[in-house]
Amino acid sequence: MMKLTVYAGAHTRKNALLHASLTQEQLAGIDTAAAVALRYDGGKTLPAQLKKAGERYVLSFVLDFLAKGEEATLTLVNADGVDRFAAVDLAGDGRVALMADGAEYTAYRYNIGFAKPHIGPIVNKYGENITRYDFEAKEHPHHRSIWFSHGSVKVENAETGFVSDEVDTWNENPHYGYIKTQKITETVSGPVYCAFTAENMWTDENGNPLCNDVTTVTMSQPEDGVTVLDVDLTLIAAYGRVTLGATKEAGPIAVRMDETLRADRTGTLTNSWGAVGEGEIWMKRSAWNDYYGTTDGGHVAGIAVFDNEDNERYPTYWHSRNYGLFAPNRYYLGGEEIIEAGNALNFKYRIVIHEGDTESAGIREMYIDYAAPAEIAAE
């Protein structure tokens, strides 16, 4: 049986989501179509999940605890597995339900009644809204929970001669653009995470295509009260040269907190440098932002968004406001970005929905696990 050695390195690891890339040869003796687990020498097991990725496999698991400087050896075995998480495409309702322990936690909502997809609602473990999910809101009504868009998109199609205006897919004022899901190409369920992949087309108000995107969202819950959404979004210049303009209304990912958690009410907005509030954070570069506050039920909860060092212009600037909006934005001060015809541009982010404030939730430690994960060696 294959053994994995996990090295904590300079940091203690607690409920850390880890991934190992493995070859078919390394998995000899393992039924890759069946459920798997990782077993400590003492007999305790951790749920694990295998997924084919090209010629290799990705093994995912949550490491419960490993003190800094220490290492642990685990054996990969076939085991009885339960799909704790499930992604279910309910196309007739225009949503992909993200399920945890048999209940719908949240959903990716597309096409039906919306100019662009969004993920929502987002709740804490008590069922209280953490993101704003109010379709009657007059102030920034297009701020729906978690969404992906850009405020200035232009395409120049050399083949047809079509040149678009600067199309706004962020706001929903007159003459705005649309992001329409063409299909949900994959859903994944398992004991460690669930995931889906959507293929979308961005258009102007008349339906002229601007670009495509492929968006994959992976949901896991590595510990009680914590939900992780890993987002991988690729913009594809399928219809000509695309210019993403230098606008503050950009992300491409954005979050709007529930009204009770706004920083001008019960909330606090902070970043990886320890800055607090819009005045210290807006359009400042940092690796992450965290936004937390107190719900009407008296519970402290929040959301952190992590930038990924593989993203261009890392660490990003942030379009973060005391009224509840925050979004990584590398454009407003960083300048426009061009995707040449036929090319693609990839973005990766991690969203952490958590209980407690930044310190008690361990956001700094979670970011270290994301940016500098424990090393894994396969024998």
Side-chain angles (χ1 to χ4, degrees):
M1 293 292 182
M2 192 198 72
K3 292 185 179 294
L4 292 180
T5 302
V6 183
Y7 302 93
H11 308 280
T12 293
R13 312 294 179 166
K14 181 181 177 184
N15 297 319
L17 180 63
L18 295 176
H19 308 281
S21 178
L22 305 172
T23 65
Q24 181 70 63
E25 291 72 24
Q26 289 172 315
L27 291 167
I30 294 293
D31 182 355
T32 57
V36 294
L38 287 165
R39 186 176 63 211
Y40 285 101
D41 289 342
K44 183 177 71 170
T45 61
L46 300 176
Q49 191 166 335
L50 272 175
K51 187 177 188 299
K52 191 82 161 60
E55 297 299 315
R56 303 176 71 89
Y57 287 82
V58 176
L59 176 71
S60 302
F61 62 99
V62 175
L63 182 68
D64 51 350
F65 183 84
L66 190 61
K68 66 179 181 179
E70 294 190 356
E71 62 184 66
T73 300
L74 303 109
T75 302
L76 183 66
V77 297
N78 283 117
D80 294 332
V82 176
D83 285 351
R84 225 195 118 196
F85 303 99
V88 182
D89 183 20
L90 302 170
D93 293 334
R95 78 182 196 277
V96 179
L98 300 179
M99 313 284 291
D101 298 319
E104 184 173 327
Y105 172 73
T106 191
Y108 178 80
R109 302 175 189 273
Y110 60 92
N111 293 358
I112 298 178
F114 302 114
K116 55 183 175 285
H118 67 273
I119 299 174
I122 299 296
V123 299
N124 64 3
K125 67 179 183 178
Y126 304 101
E128 301 164 323
N129 277 353
I130 302 302
T131 55
R132 190 177 77 172
Y133 212 62
D134 176 8
F135 297 106
E136 304 301 320
K138 303 300 183 185
E139 175 260 307
H140 295 95
H142 50 282
H143 289 183
R144 299 188 189 96
S145 194
I146 298 170
W147 72 98
F148 317 107
S149 62
H150 191 88
S152 173
V153 184
K154 181 179 180 179
V155 66
E156 301 167 72
N157 191 322
E159 292 185 7
T160 66
F162 175 74
V163 177
S164 74
D165 295 329
E166 292 185 17
V167 180
D168 186 352
T169 67
W170 173 287
N171 292 290
E172 293 174 15
N173 299 320
H175 312 297
Y176 58 83
Y178 293 81
I179 301 173
K180 292 297 184 181
T181 300
Q182 305 304 294
K183 58 183 175 179
I184 303 299
T185 59
E186 182 181 44
T187 58
V188 176
S189 300
V192 178
Y193 68 85
C194 63
F196 70 89
T197 298
E199 292 186 359
N200 303 312
M201 178 186 288
W202 298 39
T203 74
D204 66 13
E205 62 177 320
N206 298 314
N208 295 306
L210 305 171
C211 63
N212 292 338
D213 83 59
V214 177
T215 297
T216 298
V217 178
T218 302
M219 184 182 84
S220 59
Q221 292 182 338
E223 60 183 282
D224 181 46
V226 174
T227 297
V228 172
L229 301 175
D230 282 315
V231 177
D232 187 302
L233 186 154
T234 300
L235 287 178
I236 304 165
Y239 310 103
R241 185 175 189 256
V242 172
T243 301
L244 303 175
T247 171
K248 66 181 175 60
E249 294 170 318
I253 191 172
V255 180
R256 178 63 189 258
M257 302 298 290
D258 185 75
E259 295 296 274
T260 61
L261 277 64
R262 293 164 54 135
D264 55 12
R265 296 183 183 173
T266 73
T268 299
L269 170 62
T270 187
N271 73 8
S272 59
W273 302 110
V276 176
E278 178 181 319
E280 297 182 4
I281 292 174
W282 190 76
M283 286 303 153
K284 301 294 174 59
R285 304 181 82 160
S286 66
W288 52 261
N289 271 198
D290 185 39
Y291 215 131
Y292 67 87
T294 304
T295 67
D296 286 338
H299 303 108
V300 178
I303 298 179
V305 175
F306 296 167
D307 193 15
N308 189 298
E309 63 181 2
D310 288 340
N311 292 336
E312 297 288 341
R313 307 178 187 177
Y314 168 92
T316 184
Y317 297 95
W318 292 82
H319 181 26
S320 299
R321 299 297 202 185
N322 283 342
Y323 63 74
L325 170 71
F326 70 123
N329 178 334
R330 68 200 201 196
Y331 298 99
Y332 186 54
L333 296 183
E336 67 180 26
E337 199 158 14
I338 292 172
I339 314 172
E340 296 294 346
N343 289 350
L345 181 63
N346 180 252
F347 303 83
K348 293 182 177 69
Y349 301 99
R350 173 167 287 181
I351 303 168
V352 179
I353 299 102
H354 62 85
E355 304 296 317
D357 60 18
T358 304
E359 184 175 357
S360 64
I363 298 303
R364 176 182 175 275
E365 290 75 16
M366 288 187 193
Y367 184 77
I368 290 170
D369 286 337
Y370 179 59
E375 294 186 8
I376 301 173
E379 300 175 17

PDB file of all heavy atoms in Angstrom, residues 6 16 28 48 53 60 81 96 105 128 148 166 193 195 197-198 221 225 239 259 324 331 359:
ATOM      1  N   VAL A   6       3.702  13.420   5.655  1.00  0.00           N
ATOM      2  CA  VAL A   6       3.320  14.832   5.684  1.00  0.00           C
ATOM      3  C   VAL A   6       4.259  15.558   6.637  1.00  0.00           C
ATOM      4  O   VAL A   6       4.437  15.135   7.787  1.00  0.00           O
ATOM      5  CB  VAL A   6       1.861  15.015   6.142  1.00  0.00           C
ATOM      6  CG1 VAL A   6       1.468  16.488   6.085  1.00  0.00           C
ATOM      7  CG2 VAL A   6       0.925  14.175   5.290  1.00  0.00           C
ATOM      8  N   ALA A  16      -6.228  21.228   8.230  1.00  0.00           N
ATOM      9  CA  ALA A  16      -5.707  21.823   7.002  1.00  0.00           C
ATOM     10  C   ALA A  16      -6.103  20.966   5.805  1.00  0.00           C
ATOM     11  O   ALA A  16      -5.847  19.752   5.790  1.00  0.00           O
ATOM     12  CB  ALA A  16      -4.191  21.955   7.078  1.00  0.00           C
ATOM     13  N   ALA A  28      -0.728   1.829  -7.197  1.00  0.00           N
ATOM     14  CA  ALA A  28      -0.824   0.387  -7.413  1.00  0.00           C
ATOM     15  C   ALA A  28      -1.386  -0.287  -6.165  1.00  0.00           C
ATOM     16  O   ALA A  28      -0.959  -0.017  -5.042  1.00  0.00           O
ATOM     17  CB  ALA A  28       0.559  -0.184  -7.747  1.00  0.00           C
ATOM     18  N   ALA A  48     -10.655  10.549   2.746  1.00  0.00           N
ATOM     19  CA  ALA A  48      -9.858  11.056   1.634  1.00  0.00           C
ATOM     20  C   ALA A  48     -10.671  10.919   0.357  1.00  0.00           C
ATOM     21  O   ALA A  48     -11.658  10.183   0.308  1.00  0.00           O
ATOM     22  CB  ALA A  48      -8.531  10.311   1.534  1.00  0.00           C
ATOM     23  N   ALA A  53      -7.103  13.552 -12.797  1.00  0.00           N
ATOM     24  CA  ALA A  53      -6.727  14.848 -13.357  1.00  0.00           C
ATOM     25  C   ALA A  53      -5.712  14.602 -14.452  1.00  0.00           C
ATOM     26  O   ALA A  53      -4.511  14.521 -14.195  1.00  0.00           O
ATOM     27  CB  ALA A  53      -6.159  15.768 -12.281  1.00  0.00           C
ATOM     28  N   SER A  60      -7.159  14.274  -1.981  1.00  0.00           N
ATOM     29  CA  SER A  60      -7.501  15.384  -1.080  1.00  0.00           C
ATOM     30  C   SER A  60      -7.918  14.837   0.273  1.00  0.00           C
ATOM     31  O   SER A  60      -8.618  13.815   0.348  1.00  0.00           O
ATOM     32  CB  SER A  60      -8.639  16.229  -1.664  1.00  0.00           C
ATOM     33  OG  SER A  60      -8.281  16.736  -2.937  1.00  0.00           O
ATOM     34  N   GLY A  81     -16.792   4.479   2.223  1.00  0.00           N
ATOM     35  CA  GLY A  81     -16.845   5.939   2.196  1.00  0.00           C
ATOM     36  C   GLY A  81     -18.261   6.453   2.115  1.00  0.00           C
ATOM     37  O   GLY A  81     -19.139   5.811   1.549  1.00  0.00           O
ATOM     38  N   VAL A  96     -27.069  25.225  -8.921  1.00  0.00           N
ATOM     39  CA  VAL A  96     -26.331  24.044  -8.494  1.00  0.00           C
ATOM     40  C   VAL A  96     -26.336  24.067  -6.978  1.00  0.00           C
ATOM     41  O   VAL A  96     -25.767  24.975  -6.358  1.00  0.00           O
ATOM     42  CB  VAL A  96     -24.880  24.040  -9.025  1.00  0.00           C
ATOM     43  CG1 VAL A  96     -24.152  22.798  -8.537  1.00  0.00           C
ATOM     44  CG2 VAL A  96     -24.859  24.112 -10.544  1.00  0.00           C
ATOM     45  N   TYR A 105     -26.392  23.711   1.687  1.00  0.00           N
ATOM     46  CA  TYR A 105     -25.729  24.803   2.395  1.00  0.00           C
ATOM     47  C   TYR A 105     -25.900  26.114   1.636  1.00  0.00           C
ATOM     48  O   TYR A 105     -26.269  27.146   2.197  1.00  0.00           O
ATOM     49  CB  TYR A 105     -24.243  24.506   2.606  1.00  0.00           C
ATOM     50  CG  TYR A 105     -23.508  25.699   3.165  1.00  0.00           C
ATOM     51  CD1 TYR A 105     -23.679  26.071   4.491  1.00  0.00           C
ATOM     52  CD2 TYR A 105     -22.713  26.495   2.352  1.00  0.00           C
ATOM     53  CE1 TYR A 105     -23.050  27.199   5.000  1.00  0.00           C
ATOM     54  CE2 TYR A 105     -22.083  27.613   2.854  1.00  0.00           C
ATOM     55  CZ  TYR A 105     -22.258  27.968   4.179  1.00  0.00           C
ATOM     56  OH  TYR A 105     -21.652  29.094   4.669  1.00  0.00           O
ATOM     57  N   GLU A 128     -27.963  31.947  10.227  1.00  0.00           N
ATOM     58  CA  GLU A 128     -28.108  33.398  10.074  1.00  0.00           C
ATOM     59  C   GLU A 128     -27.305  33.879   8.863  1.00  0.00           C
ATOM     60  O   GLU A 128     -26.184  33.420   8.632  1.00  0.00           O
ATOM     61  CB  GLU A 128     -27.608  34.107  11.338  1.00  0.00           C
ATOM     62  CG  GLU A 128     -28.361  33.690  12.593  1.00  0.00           C
ATOM     63  CD  GLU A 128     -27.626  34.075  13.863  1.00  0.00           C
ATOM     64  OE1 GLU A 128     -26.376  33.989  13.888  1.00  0.00           O
ATOM     65  OE2 GLU A 128     -28.311  34.441  14.837  1.00  0.00           O
ATOM     66  N   PHE A 148     -19.185  37.076  -9.555  1.00  0.00           N
ATOM     67  CA  PHE A 148     -18.010  37.243 -10.400  1.00  0.00           C
ATOM     68  C   PHE A 148     -18.379  38.146 -11.575  1.00  0.00           C
ATOM     69  O   PHE A 148     -19.346  37.867 -12.293  1.00  0.00           O
ATOM     70  CB  PHE A 148     -17.523  35.892 -10.929  1.00  0.00           C
ATOM     71  CG  PHE A 148     -17.531  34.799  -9.887  1.00  0.00           C
ATOM     72  CD1 PHE A 148     -18.476  33.793  -9.927  1.00  0.00           C
ATOM     73  CD2 PHE A 148     -16.600  34.794  -8.866  1.00  0.00           C
ATOM     74  CE1 PHE A 148     -18.502  32.791  -8.967  1.00  0.00           C
ATOM     75  CE2 PHE A 148     -16.616  33.798  -7.897  1.00  0.00           C
ATOM     76  CZ  PHE A 148     -17.564  32.799  -7.952  1.00  0.00           C
ATOM     77  N   GLU A 166     -17.305  49.699 -24.024  1.00  0.00           N
ATOM     78  CA  GLU A 166     -16.873  49.184 -22.729  1.00  0.00           C
ATOM     79  C   GLU A 166     -18.120  48.718 -21.988  1.00  0.00           C
ATOM     80  O   GLU A 166     -18.932  49.542 -21.559  1.00  0.00           O
ATOM     81  CB  GLU A 166     -16.128  50.254 -21.942  1.00  0.00           C
ATOM     82  CG  GLU A 166     -14.785  50.625 -22.559  1.00  0.00           C
ATOM     83  CD  GLU A 166     -14.013  51.610 -21.695  1.00  0.00           C
ATOM     84  OE1 GLU A 166     -14.354  51.754 -20.503  1.00  0.00           O
ATOM     85  OE2 GLU A 166     -13.079  52.234 -22.224  1.00  0.00           O
ATOM     86  N   TYR A 193     -15.005  16.906  -0.195  1.00  0.00           N
ATOM     87  CA  TYR A 193     -15.470  18.127  -0.857  1.00  0.00           C
ATOM     88  C   TYR A 193     -16.497  17.786  -1.923  1.00  0.00           C
ATOM     89  O   TYR A 193     -16.637  16.630  -2.349  1.00  0.00           O
ATOM     90  CB  TYR A 193     -14.299  18.896  -1.478  1.00  0.00           C
ATOM     91  CG  TYR A 193     -13.645  18.186  -2.644  1.00  0.00           C
ATOM     92  CD1 TYR A 193     -14.138  18.301  -3.949  1.00  0.00           C
ATOM     93  CD2 TYR A 193     -12.516  17.391  -2.451  1.00  0.00           C
ATOM     94  CE1 TYR A 193     -13.551  17.653  -5.015  1.00  0.00           C
ATOM     95  CE2 TYR A 193     -11.916  16.735  -3.516  1.00  0.00           C
ATOM     96  CZ  TYR A 193     -12.436  16.863  -4.793  1.00  0.00           C
ATOM     97  OH  TYR A 193     -11.855  16.214  -5.846  1.00  0.00           O
ATOM     98  N   ALA A 195     -17.891  19.775  -5.783  1.00  0.00           N
ATOM     99  CA  ALA A 195     -17.451  20.797  -6.727  1.00  0.00           C
ATOM    100  C   ALA A 195     -18.340  20.781  -7.957  1.00  0.00           C
ATOM    101  O   ALA A 195     -19.020  19.789  -8.240  1.00  0.00           O
ATOM    102  CB  ALA A 195     -15.994  20.570  -7.131  1.00  0.00           C
ATOM    103  N   THR A 197     -18.364  22.668 -12.182  1.00  0.00           N
ATOM    104  CA  THR A 197     -17.740  23.524 -13.185  1.00  0.00           C
ATOM    105  C   THR A 197     -18.823  24.070 -14.103  1.00  0.00           C
ATOM    106  O   THR A 197     -19.653  23.311 -14.613  1.00  0.00           O
ATOM    107  CB  THR A 197     -16.699  22.753 -14.010  1.00  0.00           C
ATOM    108  OG1 THR A 197     -15.657  22.299 -13.134  1.00  0.00           O
ATOM    109  CG2 THR A 197     -16.090  23.640 -15.086  1.00  0.00           C
ATOM    110  N   ALA A 198     -18.817  25.396 -14.284  1.00  0.00           N
ATOM    111  CA  ALA A 198     -19.778  26.076 -15.160  1.00  0.00           C
ATOM    112  C   ALA A 198     -19.029  26.721 -16.315  1.00  0.00           C
ATOM    113  O   ALA A 198     -17.941  27.274 -16.133  1.00  0.00           O
ATOM    114  CB  ALA A 198     -20.552  27.141 -14.389  1.00  0.00           C
ATOM    115  N   GLN A 221     -15.731  21.587   4.266  1.00  0.00           N
ATOM    116  CA  GLN A 221     -15.953  22.080   5.635  1.00  0.00           C
ATOM    117  C   GLN A 221     -14.951  21.390   6.545  1.00  0.00           C
ATOM    118  O   GLN A 221     -15.259  20.375   7.172  1.00  0.00           O
ATOM    119  CB  GLN A 221     -17.401  21.845   6.057  1.00  0.00           C
ATOM    120  CG  GLN A 221     -18.389  22.691   5.274  1.00  0.00           C
ATOM    121  CD  GLN A 221     -19.836  22.514   5.696  1.00  0.00           C
ATOM    122  OE1 GLN A 221     -20.227  21.509   6.287  1.00  0.00           O
ATOM    123  NE2 GLN A 221     -20.672  23.505   5.379  1.00  0.00           N
ATOM    124  N   GLY A 225     -18.175  24.901  11.874  1.00  0.00           N
ATOM    125  CA  GLY A 225     -18.330  26.343  11.746  1.00  0.00           C
ATOM    126  C   GLY A 225     -17.503  26.971  10.656  1.00  0.00           C
ATOM    127  O   GLY A 225     -17.518  28.202  10.511  1.00  0.00           O
ATOM    128  N   TYR A 239     -13.575  35.447 -28.680  1.00  0.00           N
ATOM    129  CA  TYR A 239     -14.212  36.212 -29.755  1.00  0.00           C
ATOM    130  C   TYR A 239     -13.377  37.403 -30.199  1.00  0.00           C
ATOM    131  O   TYR A 239     -13.874  38.302 -30.873  1.00  0.00           O
ATOM    132  CB  TYR A 239     -15.591  36.687 -29.289  1.00  0.00           C
ATOM    133  CG  TYR A 239     -16.404  35.576 -28.695  1.00  0.00           C
ATOM    134  CD1 TYR A 239     -16.542  35.459 -27.314  1.00  0.00           C
ATOM    135  CD2 TYR A 239     -17.000  34.614 -29.508  1.00  0.00           C
ATOM    136  CE1 TYR A 239     -17.271  34.416 -26.761  1.00  0.00           C
ATOM    137  CE2 TYR A 239     -17.723  33.566 -28.959  1.00  0.00           C
ATOM    138  CZ  TYR A 239     -17.847  33.468 -27.582  1.00  0.00           C
ATOM    139  OH  TYR A 239     -18.566  32.428 -27.030  1.00  0.00           O
ATOM    140  N   GLU A 259     -26.256  43.198   6.058  1.00  0.00           N
ATOM    141  CA  GLU A 259     -26.333  44.566   6.591  1.00  0.00           C
ATOM    142  C   GLU A 259     -25.932  44.651   8.058  1.00  0.00           C
ATOM    143  O   GLU A 259     -25.336  45.644   8.488  1.00  0.00           O
ATOM    144  CB  GLU A 259     -27.751  45.111   6.401  1.00  0.00           C
ATOM    145  CG  GLU A 259     -28.162  45.275   4.943  1.00  0.00           C
ATOM    146  CD  GLU A 259     -27.303  46.300   4.217  1.00  0.00           C
ATOM    147  OE1 GLU A 259     -27.618  47.499   4.276  1.00  0.00           O
ATOM    148  OE2 GLU A 259     -26.306  45.887   3.581  1.00  0.00           O
ATOM    149  N   GLY A 324     -20.041  47.187   3.537  1.00  0.00           N
ATOM    150  CA  GLY A 324     -20.227  45.748   3.418  1.00  0.00           C
ATOM    151  C   GLY A 324     -19.638  45.082   2.199  1.00  0.00           C
ATOM    152  O   GLY A 324     -19.599  43.852   2.129  1.00  0.00           O
ATOM    153  N   TYR A 331      -7.146  46.244 -10.799  1.00  0.00           N
ATOM    154  CA  TYR A 331      -7.293  47.058 -12.002  1.00  0.00           C
ATOM    155  C   TYR A 331      -7.331  48.562 -11.756  1.00  0.00           C
ATOM    156  O   TYR A 331      -6.736  49.328 -12.507  1.00  0.00           O
ATOM    157  CB  TYR A 331      -8.553  46.632 -12.765  1.00  0.00           C
ATOM    158  CG  TYR A 331      -8.474  45.208 -13.225  1.00  0.00           C
ATOM    159  CD1 TYR A 331      -9.097  44.193 -12.509  1.00  0.00           C
ATOM    160  CD2 TYR A 331      -7.742  44.864 -14.353  1.00  0.00           C
ATOM    161  CE1 TYR A 331      -9.001  42.872 -12.917  1.00  0.00           C
ATOM    162  CE2 TYR A 331      -7.637  43.553 -14.775  1.00  0.00           C
ATOM    163  CZ  TYR A 331      -8.263  42.556 -14.042  1.00  0.00           C
ATOM    164  OH  TYR A 331      -8.152  41.260 -14.441  1.00  0.00           O
ATOM    165  N   GLU A 359      -8.909  36.830  14.672  1.00  0.00           N
ATOM    166  CA  GLU A 359      -7.924  36.138  15.495  1.00  0.00           C
ATOM    167  C   GLU A 359      -8.448  34.797  15.986  1.00  0.00           C
ATOM    168  O   GLU A 359      -7.774  33.769  15.860  1.00  0.00           O
ATOM    169  CB  GLU A 359      -7.515  37.008  16.679  1.00  0.00           C
ATOM    170  CG  GLU A 359      -6.426  36.385  17.537  1.00  0.00           C
ATOM    171  CD  GLU A 359      -5.938  37.307  18.640  1.00  0.00           C
ATOM    172  OE1 GLU A 359      -6.409  38.460  18.703  1.00  0.00           O
ATOM    173  OE2 GLU A 359      -5.083  36.871  19.436  1.00  0.00           O
TER     174      GLU A 359
END
